[in-house]
């Protein structure tokens, strides 16, 4: 399918632009000061908790909702006066939204018939779209005669059949069980690579976002807290919210005791001290949240040169096959989760020294209001 119009790299950087977009429902601010560029051909995911504004943002792009303020450009054109059907966007929803009385083939043909594509062209295009999602043999069935996963593939074929340049998917796999969902993630990713179409995908499932996306935008209370590649978000979270939303994280509350360049000494309750990387302005005395991932905490006996060393006792150990999760209780009662080797043996109540590098431990201002997406 010719999903790309080949306008070159420079233009591709801004296939879709949200410029200072706001959405109010009465006095409720659903989307705030949204500035976002979507690149041609990328797989971009909106990830965030329920109610954070993902669907509203997607619907403004699709044309089902109007921004209260600001502007959206699609391929350089303002979309304000463009009705949904003129935007050449394919949509896939969680609930499939197939027509129950029509056959699979007629469902997939529907977007072509309403676009007045000649009948002679429709047949072959429907077959091609159904072959793409491996459902050609079911073309005469009704949707109710298919499984949930198959129905979702019909919905996908229907969204792709008219060769849209942009496909929007709102929690499309949410109704499927885990195994099928993981299978469909791979299929969707392969289709994206094969077609080169731009995909904007909504999910609240972080593992889905991390495995499928070129970039992920983290939504929090109507704003983008951070946008970046999965590994940027995982390794360099900009806020405590992002650190806790992406991947596993130990969060510890403390107070800044001393600042030294981009490092700071943080006092935990009961006088424990930790050196951390300061993210954002952190004046002395400021309350902070420390974030450190389970795999970044080491057993002190097994490493050299980690700046933080802290005593704990074993509070539990859970076997996970390829690793164990050690629950380590600090002197102040706080518990850290630590990923350790599967064969390490740990007895309940045993003392254990933990170590981690300053660079792996981030100090964020407490309760930061998140400022716009970059
Ligand atoms: N039509 C509407 N009228 C009033 N409030 C709405 C409407 N649609 C969404 N909202 C509110 O806007 C917020 C964002 O909703 P939504 O974009 O659907 O979140 P998400 O998709 O991230 O779960 C929610 O608090 C929701 O209740
Ligand atoms: Mg939603």
């Amino acid at each position: 399918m010719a999903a790309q119009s080949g306008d070159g790299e420079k233009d591709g950087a801004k296939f879709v632009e949200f410029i200072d977009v706001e959405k109010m429902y009465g006095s409720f601010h659903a989307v705030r000061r949204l500035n976002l560029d979507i690149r041609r051909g990328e797989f971009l995911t909106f990830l965030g908790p329920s109610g954070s504004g993902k669907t509203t943002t997607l619907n403004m792009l699709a044309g089902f909702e109007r921004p209260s303020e600001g502007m959206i450009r699609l391929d350089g054109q303002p979309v304000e006066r463009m009705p949904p059907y003129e935007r050449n966007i394919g949509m896939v929803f969680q609930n499939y939204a197939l027509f129950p009385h029509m056959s699979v083939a007629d469902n997939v043909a529907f977007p072509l018939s309403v676009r007045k594509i000649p009948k002679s062209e429709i047949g072959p295009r429907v077959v091609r779209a159904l072959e793409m999602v491996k459902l050609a043999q079911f073309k005469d069935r009704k949707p109710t005669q298919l499984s949930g996963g198959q129905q979702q593939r019909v919905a996908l074929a229907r969204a792709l059949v008219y060769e849209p340049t942009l496909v929007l998917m709102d929690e499309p796999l949410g109704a499927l069980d885990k195994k099928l969902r993981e299978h469909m993630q791979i299929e969707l990713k392969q289709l994206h690579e094969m077609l080169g179409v731009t995909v904007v995908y909504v999910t609240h499932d972080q593992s889905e976002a991390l495995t499928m996306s070129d970039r992920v935008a983290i939504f929090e209370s109507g704003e983008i807290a951070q946008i970046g590649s999965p590994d940027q978000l995982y390794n360099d979270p900009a806020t405590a919210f992002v650190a806790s939303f992406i991947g596993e994280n130990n969060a510890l509350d403390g107070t800044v005791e001393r600042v030294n360049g981009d490092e700071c000494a943080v006092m935990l309750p009961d006088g424990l001290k930790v050196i951390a990387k300061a993210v954002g302005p952190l004046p002395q005395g400021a309350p902070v949240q420390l974030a450190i991932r389970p795999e970044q905490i080491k057993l002190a006996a097994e490493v050299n040169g980690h700046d933080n060393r802290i005593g704990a006792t074993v509070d539990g150990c859970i076997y996970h096959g390829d690793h164990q999760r050690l629950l380590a209780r600090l002197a102040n009662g706080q518990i850290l989760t630590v990923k350790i080797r599967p064969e390490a043996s740990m007895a309940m109540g045993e003392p254990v020294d933990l170590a981690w590098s300053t660079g792996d431990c981030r100090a964020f201002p407490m309760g930061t209001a998140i400022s716009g997406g970059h």
Side-chain angles (χ1 to χ4, degrees):
M1 286 192 182
Q4 307 210 14
S5 54
D7 284 343
E9 275 301 308
K10 196 170 144 279
D11 192 43
K14 287 189 177 187
F15 183 43
V16 175
E17 286 172 89
F18 285 79
I19 303 158
D20 290 333
V21 169
E22 308 259 352
K23 180 66 186 179
M24 309 286 299
Y25 290 113
S27 63
F28 180 76
H29 222 145
V31 173
R32 299 165 188 271
R33 287 265 144 204
L34 186 80
N35 285 287
L36 169 67
D37 293 342
I38 301 173
R39 301 168 185 159
R40 193 186 300 279
E42 81 171 318
F43 195 117
L44 174 70
T45 297
F46 295 170
L47 173 68
S50 172
S52 57
K54 308 179 298 292
T55 294
T56 303
T57 303
L58 205 69
N59 284 346
M60 288 191 286
L61 179 52
F64 304 142
E65 295 280 2
R66 267 172 168 272
S68 312
E69 297 283 342
M71 170 147 118
I72 301 172
R73 284 207 198 102
L74 175 57
D75 213 0
Q77 301 298 313
V79 294
E80 245 156 285
R81 283 189 202 82
M82 230 188 262
Y85 59 86
E86 277 181 13
R87 299 187 186 194
N88 198 25
I89 292 175
M91 293 281 308
V92 184
F93 307 93
Q94 177 173 338
N95 59 9
Y96 323 137
L98 298 175
F99 302 113
H101 58 283
M102 288 187 191
S103 70
V104 164
D106 289 342
N107 264 282
V108 175
F110 185 77
L112 300 176
S113 336
V114 295
R115 282 173 175 77
K116 308 268 186 303
I117 305 285
K119 278 236 159 54
S120 58
E121 245 182 71
I122 291 182
R125 284 176 71 170
V126 166
V127 170
R128 263 207 319 271
L130 282 173
E131 277 170 353
M132 220 157 52
V133 297
K134 306 188 185 82
L135 280 182
Q137 72 273 36
F138 295 135
K139 65 180 173 40
D140 297 322
R141 289 206 190 172
K142 293 275 161 52
T144 50
Q145 296 169 307
L146 299 175
S147 72
Q150 289 167 338
Q151 289 182 51
Q152 192 53 299
R153 277 162 38 203
V154 176
L156 188 62
R158 187 181 57 181
L160 294 171
V161 73
Y162 55 94
E163 304 183 10
T165 47
L166 180 58
V167 178
L168 309 182
M169 303 195 198
D170 196 346
E171 313 235 6
L173 309 182
L176 308 180
D177 65 45
K178 185 168 181 289
K179 208 158 171 209
L180 191 53
R181 203 162 63 226
E182 286 169 358
H183 176 76
M184 287 292 292
Q185 287 168 6
I186 296 168
E187 282 198 5
L188 279 178
K189 192 67 201 152
Q190 285 171 343
L191 269 176
H192 169 252
E193 273 157 26
M194 188 173 94
L195 302 176
V197 64
T198 309
V199 176
V200 184
Y201 192 93
V202 167
T203 182
H204 61 266
D205 178 339
Q206 57 130 328
S207 76
E208 189 162 295
L210 293 181
T211 53
M212 299 181 76
S213 319
D214 297 316
R215 289 194 305 158
V216 178
I218 309 285
F219 276 67
E220 182 191 13
S221 311
E223 295 187 277
I224 294 181
Q226 190 176 3
I227 181 166
S229 65
D231 73 296
Q232 276 168 349
L233 296 176
Y234 189 85
N235 293 312
D236 206 6
T239 70
F241 177 81
V242 174
S244 59
F245 205 80
I246 292 273
E248 240 190 303
N249 183 54
N250 290 293
L252 297 173
D253 294 346
T255 311
V256 177
E257 195 191 55
R258 193 165 34 75
V259 186
N260 182 7
D262 61 355
E263 290 186 4
C264 61
V266 173
M267 191 71 91
L268 304 182
D270 291 346
L272 297 175
K273 200 154 56 168
V274 170
I275 312 290
K277 185 172 164 181
V279 183
L282 290 177
Q284 199 175 340
V288 289
Q289 190 162 64
L290 294 176
I292 181 158
R293 304 218 181 264
E295 71 273 20
Q296 289 166 332
I297 305 177
K298 311 290 181 195
L299 299 178
E302 297 182 351
V303 292
N304 293 314
H306 284 49
D307 329 300
N308 289 293
R309 296 200 165 230
I310 200 164
T313 52
V314 175
D315 204 61
C317 210
I318 303 150
Y319 184 68
H320 282 265
D322 63 338
H323 72 279
Q324 298 182 83
R325 281 175 142 59
L326 165 68
L327 304 178
R329 181 185 292 273
L330 304 182
N332 65 15
Q334 288 178 315
I335 298 212
L336 294 178
T337 302
V338 184
K339 243 173 132 170
I340 59 174
R341 288 181 293 115
E343 65 278 10
S345 99
M346 293 277 157
M348 275 299 271
E350 186 186 340
V352 58
D353 285 329
L354 306 176
W356 61 84
S357 300
T358 301
D360 287 337
C361 181
R362 290 179 166 67
F364 298 103
M366 185 73 83
T368 30
I370 309 300
S371 57
H374 303 283

